[in-house]
Amino acid sequence: MPENHLFDSLSAYAGRNPEKPFALRVGHEPRSFGQLFHNAQRFAAAITSAGFKPGDRLAAQVDKSLEAIELYLGVVAAGGVFLPLNPAYTASELAYFLSDASPSIVVCDPARENEIAPLCNKARLFTLGSDGSGTLTDALTDALLEPIARTADDLAAILYTSGTTGRSKGAMLSHDNLFSNSQTLTEYWHFSDSDVLIHALPIFHTHGLFVATNVALLSGATVHFQSGFSPDQIIEALPTSTSLMGVPTFYTRLLADPRLTPELTANMRLFISGSAPLLTDTHEQWQTRTGHRILERYGMTETNMNTSNPYNGARRAGTVGLPLPGVELRVVGAEGPLPQGEIGTLEVRGANVFKGYWQMPEKTAEELRPDGWFITGDLGIVDKQGYVSIVGRGKDLIITGGFNVYPKEIEALIDDIEGVKESAVIGVPHADFGEGIVAVIVPENERLTENNVNAVLATKLAKFKQPKKLLLLPELPRNTMGKVQKKALRETYANLFT
Ligand code: AMP
């Protein structure tokens, strides 16, 4: 049989233990590992019959479902490239991704079929709803596709990251980028088939799609598969679970619930946090309330996971831990690598690092050095024991509720509104979301109102990107070079939400 690097690795456990439950869902029968991969091969056969070829992209803007996971695995089996998209993206945002990635198949929510059809160019459009029904599942037959041969360096996925210049970049991830990182994490975090993992993360992002899903598949862990983050569902699942992967917002929201106690979490062995900074305060409160020390790790779309606090050693609040096995990390300044203890840009190298940005060789060359070092854009420092702390972001990325938002994209839309002179979008501390988005706007005249701006943004931007607060000011602070001082704005409005 030809080898398909990622599919064969992820399905190895399922091959040995087809009856083992993979997913538990309230109100449904468990879905076994065997059923999951059987369905994946049916999806692979269905898309292949629809004309999908090895190397083609399949763009999926669908709600979280087990069928969406099967579709991801099916695309990999068919030798293709899976391209998940946030369901919150509007049609105008989607138009860019579809024209940039030129997928041969697009899969969308049944309710949005008419809206998305005109954006598909030559791609075939199918639907897949949150309950697993739609024209794509209708196209499934008993036919199974034998996995198409793919090598370690072939692409398995493209995940779009927001670009600092406003345009998203498609990070090309190979079979081995994904497999090697999930293998490293499985071992580092001691995952096995005795684990029950709470899976409440979205599956259009590296955290939920690759970290949580691939680790569970590889280790044989069962997941409590939840459609999204709900404190009630997590609290219900905790007594029968061993592990949770979440963004900091999960932890702050759970801390607000009086049901969170040591008894409730007595069966748990591991709480993991990542995708945005976990406040030391949250880490400490969690330990007081549950007796568990959250394990914080650091990664990004382009690199998978880079560092993690240790499983057995000290988990240090406010740090993202040590470079993972097989990942090299260095701190670099304007003149080159810096000695330990100095702040600079973090660079990483290893099998985890992506293959470059889809059809953007210049952007790739700017961020990925020829010798394999990737310039993360995060500013960090390494202490004497090797623990890495992230001290800021070179780029002005805002992370709100675990989602990345680049100010430039919002500023460009605001600046286009009639009556706006200019704008600056910043993130300031927010107890619930980590950072809350604030748009500082300089009006051209008195006719501009907050309602005007909000009405325009509501039609153009996904909800998570819409500012939580608009401030109308006579001017923006600038330095002598004429650059807007976002740092000063962030300081002035640091307590806006607290
Ligand atoms: P994404 O590509 O969406 O995964 O976002 C990656 C960015 O999230 C990184 O470049 C960091 O700026 C940030 N990030 C991820 N994990 C952490 C963490 N544990 N602490 C601080 N920032 C983080």
Side-chain angles (χ1 to χ4, degrees):
M1 196 172 76
E3 273 188 33
N4 179 305
H5 189 68
L6 183 61
F7 189 86
D8 292 355
S9 313
L10 293 180
S11 62
Y13 179 88
R16 295 190 304 273
N17 305 276
E19 307 296 329
K20 167 95 199 282
F22 168 67
L24 309 175
R25 290 173 301 164
V26 175
H28 293 266
E29 288 295 306
R31 188 156 313 172
S32 71
F33 275 83
Q35 287 167 326
L36 188 88
F37 281 95
H38 178 83
N39 289 341
Q41 287 184 266
R42 292 173 69 214
F43 275 110
I47 60 175
T48 301
S49 306
F52 189 80
K53 295 186 193 60
D56 280 2
R57 276 80 52 213
L58 180 143
Q61 191 194 30
V62 294
D63 283 333
K64 185 174 177 181
S65 68
L66 274 182
E67 289 72 19
I69 300 276
E70 291 167 349
L71 176 62
Y72 147 57
L73 296 168
V75 171
V76 173
V81 182
F82 188 62
L83 197 168
L85 293 163
N86 187 340
Y89 283 136
T90 62
S92 70
E93 288 165 317
L94 206 60
Y96 165 73
F97 298 115
L98 299 185
S99 73
D100 188 57
S102 57
S104 65
I105 294 185
V106 177
V107 184
C108 74
D109 189 88
R112 295 186 67 190
E113 192 175 6
N114 292 338
E115 184 195 1
I116 289 171
L119 312 174
C120 287
N121 306 319
K122 290 189 190 121
R124 289 276 306 264
L125 179 64
F126 289 94
T127 62
L128 181 64
S130 54
D131 63 355
S133 68
T135 57
L136 186 61
T137 12
D138 293 345
L140 295 177
T141 65
D142 290 339
L144 302 183
L145 186 85
E146 279 308 318
I148 304 288
R150 291 279 102 175
T151 64
D153 281 335
D154 283 325
L155 295 190
I158 293 178
L159 260 58
Y160 275 86
T161 72
S162 302
T164 37
T165 50
R167 274 297 179 213
S168 289
K169 296 171 284 186
M172 301 190 287
L173 295 155
S174 72
H175 279 237
D176 201 53
N177 289 154
L178 301 180
F179 165 65
S180 65
N181 203 241
S182 41
Q183 190 179 42
T184 301
L185 297 176
T186 298
E187 286 168 18
Y188 203 75
W189 294 338
H190 295 211
F191 270 90
S192 75
D193 66 355
S194 329
D195 272 301
V196 181
L197 171 69
I198 300 178
H199 193 313
L201 292 160
I203 56 167
F204 53 79
H205 184 268
T206 185
H207 198 168
L209 183 62
F210 300 139
V211 182
T213 307
N214 288 353
V215 164
L217 292 173
L218 207 61
S219 62
T222 294
V223 297
H224 276 296
F225 195 80
Q226 303 180 348
S227 56
F229 174 74
S230 139
D232 285 344
Q233 283 182 29
I234 293 199
I235 283 168
E236 203 179 307
L238 277 168
T240 55
S241 303
T242 63
S243 44
L244 170 70
M245 292 184 192
V247 294
T249 313
F250 282 23
Y251 293 101
T252 52
R253 295 246 177 113
L254 288 167
L255 277 168
D257 198 302
R259 292 171 292 178
L260 184 75
T261 58
E263 295 71 41
L264 185 80
T265 58
N267 197 50
M268 291 289 288
R269 69 169 184 89
L270 187 58
F271 289 97
I272 300 175
S273 176
S275 291
L278 183 80
L279 299 177
T280 301
D281 187 46
T282 310
H283 190 279
E284 287 168 356
Q285 279 191 48
W286 193 265
Q287 185 171 16
T288 309
R289 287 280 294 282
T290 69
H292 293 275
R293 289 182 73 80
I294 298 174
L295 181 153
E296 184 172 7
R297 93 311 178 268
Y298 155 65
M300 57 200 303
T301 303
E302 292 94 328
T303 62
N304 299 283
M305 299 306 106
N306 294 315
T307 72
S308 169
N309 271 277
Y311 186 75
N312 286 317
R315 297 182 193 163
R316 300 223 176 113
T319 83
V320 293
L322 307 156
L324 284 161
V327 178
E328 292 175 88
L329 179 141
R330 67 184 186 186
V331 180
V332 179
E335 310 287 311
L338 296 170
Q340 182 273 319
E342 289 192 26
I343 292 178
T345 300
L346 298 177
E347 296 193 2
V348 295
R349 179 162 77 173
N352 55 313
V353 173
F354 76 143
K355 298 289 164 199
Y357 294 112
W358 171 255
Q359 289 181 337
M360 287 188 176
E362 296 85 16
K363 288 269 174 233
T364 304
E366 276 169 27
E367 297 184 30
L368 189 56
R369 299 183 190 277
D371 58 358
W373 286 102
F374 175 66
I375 305 166
T376 64
D378 290 312
L379 299 175
I381 184 166
V382 181
D383 74 7
K384 286 208 174 70
Q385 284 75 42
Y387 282 70
V388 179
S389 296
I390 295 175
V391 298
R393 293 182 294 264
K395 314 157 192 172
D396 278 319
L397 178 70
I398 299 169
I399 305 183
T400 178
F403 293 121
N404 287 357
V405 177
Y406 281 87
K408 267 260 155 51
E409 185 186 6
I410 305 171
E411 288 161 5
L413 288 172
I414 295 177
D415 293 350
D416 270 344
I417 297 171
E418 207 184 78
V420 171
K421 192 165 165 206
E422 60 175 347
S423 64
V425 169
I426 54 168
V428 299
H430 187 292
D432 202 15
F433 290 96
E435 285 185 309
I437 302 177
V438 179
V440 183
I441 300 172
V442 181
E444 234 159 26
N445 53 49
E446 283 161 13
R447 287 197 305 277
L448 186 80
T449 65
E450 290 186 17
N451 285 348
N452 294 151
V453 179
N454 281 328
V456 173
L457 296 184
T459 63
K460 301 245 163 109
L461 284 177
K463 187 100 181 112
F464 71 89
K465 293 189 203 165
Q466 292 169 22
K468 295 224 171 326
K469 181 89 189 152
L470 303 180
L471 299 169
L472 303 187
L473 293 190
E475 60 177 8
L476 297 176
R478 286 194 145 80
N479 70 7
T480 46
M481 302 299 289
K483 280 201 191 348
V484 175
Q485 298 296 280
K486 285 198 170 173
K487 190 160 170 275
L489 282 175
R490 280 194 289 261
E491 283 163 8
T492 309
Y493 297 107
N495 299 323
L496 203 59
F497 298 121
T498 53

